[in-house]
Amino acid sequence: MAVTLPIEPGVLVWARETAGYSIEAAADKVGVAKERLEAWEAGKARPGISHLRRLASTYKRPLPALFLARPPEEPPELPDFRRVGSRAAGLSPDTRFAIRDARRWQEIASEIAEDQERLGGVPFPKTDLTDEPEQIAKRIRDWLGVTRETQLGWVDTREAFNAWRRAIEQRDVLVFVLSMPRADCRGFSVWEDDSLPVMVVNSQEVPEARSFTLFHEFTHLMLRNSGVCDEVEDANDYRPIETFCNRVAGFALIPR
């Protein structure tokens, strides 16, 4: 007889929903019938240890997390600055996992920086929507110390992206390049008070698009807000803050 384990059904629901899986998709990933997973989540049946390991692997949670007495509190979801259609579709599991990883790395790196008395050592620039995008872009370039002569010396767009990334990272900003579905987003940023700022760029994008996303997310951080972002297709379906970030990014990459 297979050994089953007492699991709080609400924890299974929490693990699946925070991973972004529907019942059907999760059951398919785990390799069980949808009705069986529904029974586990309703408390009408109990999973065995082998199925719990598959669930933990699918939801990318430590196995002990599924034995919690109740679902833990999660940090608030990042603000969604994507187009209306994209927001309605939600975020895929891969993008949710990328956000989760970025937040975990931010916490670890911030603790290390605090131990080394480096946290807050280089004040991150700040702006608001009343500032002139072209002037903000100049402030960014001056802060990074990248001249037009230096930029013109880069041989291609891949070298340009890597150079921009290094210049930003040298200012104690965490920059990650992670794989996410292109339909989800081009990147996102995470701002937390008393933590190192984080920006994430989608590795599925071409190098020149990655560079644009770097400065777009940089502007989000200057505005002191986190966000998930994609590209503009319909100006009537977009938020003013995204247009603002795009204008700054354009001026930063190609000054007059």
Side-chain angles (χ1 to χ4, degrees):
M1 180 178 178
V3 176
T4 59
L5 300 168
I7 298 296
E8 171 57 41
V11 172
L12 293 182
V13 176
W14 158 80
R16 176 179 59 77
E17 290 183 345
T18 55
Y21 284 111
S22 65
I23 281 278
E24 292 80 4
D28 184 63
K29 292 279 287 185
V30 175
V32 298
K34 174 175 72 76
E35 293 74 17
R36 194 173 189 185
L37 180 54
E38 287 176 330
W40 293 341
E41 292 190 358
K44 297 178 180 178
R46 292 178 175 180
I49 187 63
S50 62
H51 284 125
L52 280 174
R53 288 197 178 101
R54 289 187 217 165
L55 288 168
S57 175
T58 297
Y59 302 151
K60 296 195 183 301
R61 296 286 184 181
L63 180 60
L66 300 185
F67 290 87
L68 293 171
R70 64 184 63 86
E73 287 191 15
E74 288 280 294
E77 290 191 0
L78 296 181
D80 198 338
F81 291 101
R82 300 176 300 157
R83 289 161 291 148
V84 171
S86 298
R87 294 199 294 273
L91 294 173
S92 70
D94 284 345
T95 301
R96 288 174 177 270
F97 297 150
I99 293 172
R100 193 187 299 171
D101 286 341
R103 279 177 151 160
R104 184 174 71 252
W105 298 333
Q106 179 188 43
E107 182 179 1
I108 294 170
S110 297
E111 289 177 358
I112 294 172
E114 185 175 17
D115 289 342
Q116 296 177 348
E117 299 182 350
R118 290 175 51 197
L119 194 60
V122 181
F124 193 83
K126 191 174 184 179
T127 191
D128 60 53
L129 295 178
T130 64
D131 287 339
E132 173 55 45
E134 188 170 6
Q135 293 303 313
I136 299 168
K138 184 179 184 305
R139 285 174 51 201
I140 293 173
R141 291 180 67 103
D142 290 345
W143 193 71
L144 295 177
V146 177
T147 65
R148 282 180 291 182
E149 291 71 25
T150 298
Q151 183 180 1
L152 291 171
W154 298 332
V155 297
D156 56 27
T157 55
R158 186 174 298 278
E159 181 182 352
F161 170 75
N162 290 332
W164 286 124
R165 180 182 182 180
R166 283 194 302 272
I168 293 171
E169 289 178 329
Q170 286 170 357
R171 290 293 191 168
D172 289 338
V173 180
L174 303 175
V175 182
F176 303 117
V177 181
L178 302 177
S179 179
M180 298 171 281
R182 294 183 68 186
D184 266 15
C185 66
R186 298 183 78 168
F188 62 85
S189 51
V190 184
W191 177 270
E192 298 286 350
D193 292 335
D194 301 321
S195 294
L196 297 175
V198 174
M199 61 176 73
V200 176
V201 176
N202 194 339
S203 67
Q204 302 301 313
E205 296 289 347
V206 294
E208 50 264 47
R210 295 184 196 178
S211 293
F212 188 89
T213 299
L214 274 181
F215 284 105
H216 180 101
E217 300 305 334
F218 195 104
T219 310
H220 268 288
L221 295 175
M222 290 182 71
L223 292 166
R224 299 300 189 260
N225 62 39
S226 307
V228 181
C229 309
D230 63 2
E231 62 187 17
V232 176
E233 288 191 355
D234 182 355
N236 296 321
D237 184 28
Y238 226 60
R239 303 183 181 191
I241 192 171
E242 290 297 88
T243 300
F244 181 83
C245 291
N246 283 342
R247 291 188 64 200
V248 173
F251 281 123
L253 282 170
I254 309 176
R256 292 184 191 275

